[in-house]
Amino acid sequence: MLARMDASTLTAWVGRTETIEDTIAAAPVAALAALLDRDDPPPKPGDAIPPLAHWLYFLPVHRQSQVGPDGHAIRGEFLPPVPLPRRMWAGSRIEFRQALPIGAAATRLSRIADVKVKEGRSGTLVFVTVRHEISGPAGLAIVDEHDIVYRGDTGKAVADPAPAPSNETWSRTIEPDPVLLFRYSAVTFNGHRIHYDLPYVTKVEGYPGLIVHGPLIATLLIDLLRRSLPGVDVKRYAFRAMRPLFDTAAFEVCGRPGEGAAQANLWTRDADGAVTMQAEASW
């Protein structure tokens, strides 16, 4: 399928930018706390949003006529027109430079930082890295480098399972039922059908169940850290998705202090004992 478009056409998207303005409203933060089952006080103007809550803003409000069959926006506007049908969030590297407060006017400058075409066991893969810079009233607040991977319909879909660590200090069991996945899709205005449309994800994309959002998993991991070490002010967070998680079984979010004094290692363990996401946080 990629032969329909030369790789140089895709790499020509490197450097393309997009700027979106938004207001950091309280309602999305309250909704996120609810779906995480947190007993947080209602957010009020001036409160700093929690780590990863920036994903609740600058949402993709494409017109219905601009949405593709998978629920994502048709490619070729800001993101390159990769002619591969499956798209997944592969990971991110995030810096929290200063607080982004409720009520603030904010701007997100996004740039296509890199496009790579590779051949893997699952066939052709295209990796797109987008660098987001979010600024508030006091200047640059968050830098988020987001990796997206595109692949075809055929071939081996996921990496071989690797045993998850068993030396966690903190852990929590998550039941990824369809209501949790729907609520996260709703609060992030994510139309990707793999997260809520069971007939589509099983019959069209061939997965065994609804797929748990990569950013939701990353949020559950950092939520574990917040529950285990209240008051920690995370400055850097990086995660890498290794295998998908489905709504067919519970999974565990796990963590332990890292080698440094202000660092933690975090990971998820599926029902088979395999690691599905690895993350690091520092403060």
Side-chain angles (χ1 to χ4, degrees):
M1 181 176 287
L2 194 61
R4 298 177 188 172
M5 178 170 296
D6 189 270
S8 62
T9 303
L10 301 181
T11 57
W13 248 252
V14 173
R16 184 166 297 213
T17 62
E18 175 185 72
T19 301
I20 303 176
E21 297 180 347
D22 204 349
T23 299
I24 307 304
V29 172
L32 179 65
L35 73 88
L36 293 174
D37 205 23
R38 295 182 60 91
D39 188 23
D40 292 343
K44 59 184 186 299
D47 289 347
I49 65 171
L52 304 189
H54 66 283
W55 290 335
L56 310 180
Y57 304 97
F58 314 102
L59 301 180
V61 288
H62 302 284
R63 293 168 51 190
Q64 191 68 16
S65 59
Q66 298 173 323
V67 176
D70 64 352
H72 273 306
I74 297 171
R75 302 164 194 170
E77 295 183 358
F78 173 61
L79 289 174
V82 179
L84 296 172
R86 297 189 179 183
R87 167 182 167 177
M88 303 292 286
W89 192 310
S92 286
R93 295 158 301 282
I94 305 165
E95 298 177 26
F96 302 99
R97 299 194 178 184
Q98 58 180 303
L100 195 60
I102 297 290
T107 301
R108 187 184 74 182
L109 172 63
S110 302
R111 177 180 177 273
I112 306 295
D114 196 16
V115 177
K116 285 188 172 68
V117 180
K118 298 182 178 180
E119 293 297 326
R121 289 181 300 172
S122 59
T124 302
L125 301 171
V126 177
F127 294 87
V128 178
T129 299
V130 184
R131 179 181 171 89
H132 302 291
E133 297 182 353
I134 300 173
S135 299
L140 185 61
I142 299 169
V143 177
D144 184 346
E145 287 193 345
H146 168 201
D147 297 326
I148 307 166
V149 61
Y150 298 86
R151 69 175 185 83
D153 283 321
T154 60
K156 185 176 177 59
V158 296
D160 292 330
S166 57
N167 60 345
E168 63 267 17
T169 304
W170 324 297
S171 67
R172 184 172 175 230
T173 299
I174 305 298
E175 298 282 352
D177 60 74
V179 175
L180 174 67
L181 304 191
F182 171 79
R183 295 179 84 187
Y184 192 77
S185 288
V187 77
T188 55
F189 203 58
N190 184 347
H192 200 181
R193 294 170 66 182
I194 63 173
H195 304 303
Y196 62 85
D197 188 336
L198 187 62
Y200 173 85
V201 75
T202 55
K203 296 178 181 179
V204 177
E205 298 218 6
Y207 291 107
L210 298 175
I211 299 177
V212 184
H213 314 64
L216 173 57
I217 300 168
T219 300
L220 287 164
L221 285 170
I222 211 165
D223 179 62
L224 175 70
L225 179 65
R226 295 175 63 206
R227 291 169 186 265
S228 304
L229 299 176
V232 162
D233 184 15
V234 176
K235 296 300 184 184
R236 291 179 176 81
Y237 185 64
F239 68 91
R240 180 168 65 97
M242 303 172 69
R243 291 173 60 82
L245 284 167
F246 305 98
D247 72 334
T248 54
F251 64 92
E252 293 177 285
V253 289
C254 307
R256 67 188 311 272
E259 295 180 1
Q263 190 261 339
N265 299 320
L266 304 159
W267 64 93
T268 50
R269 183 167 52 225
D270 69 14
D272 296 322
V275 61
T276 69
M277 181 177 285
Q278 292 179 325
E280 293 184 356
S282 59
W283 53 91

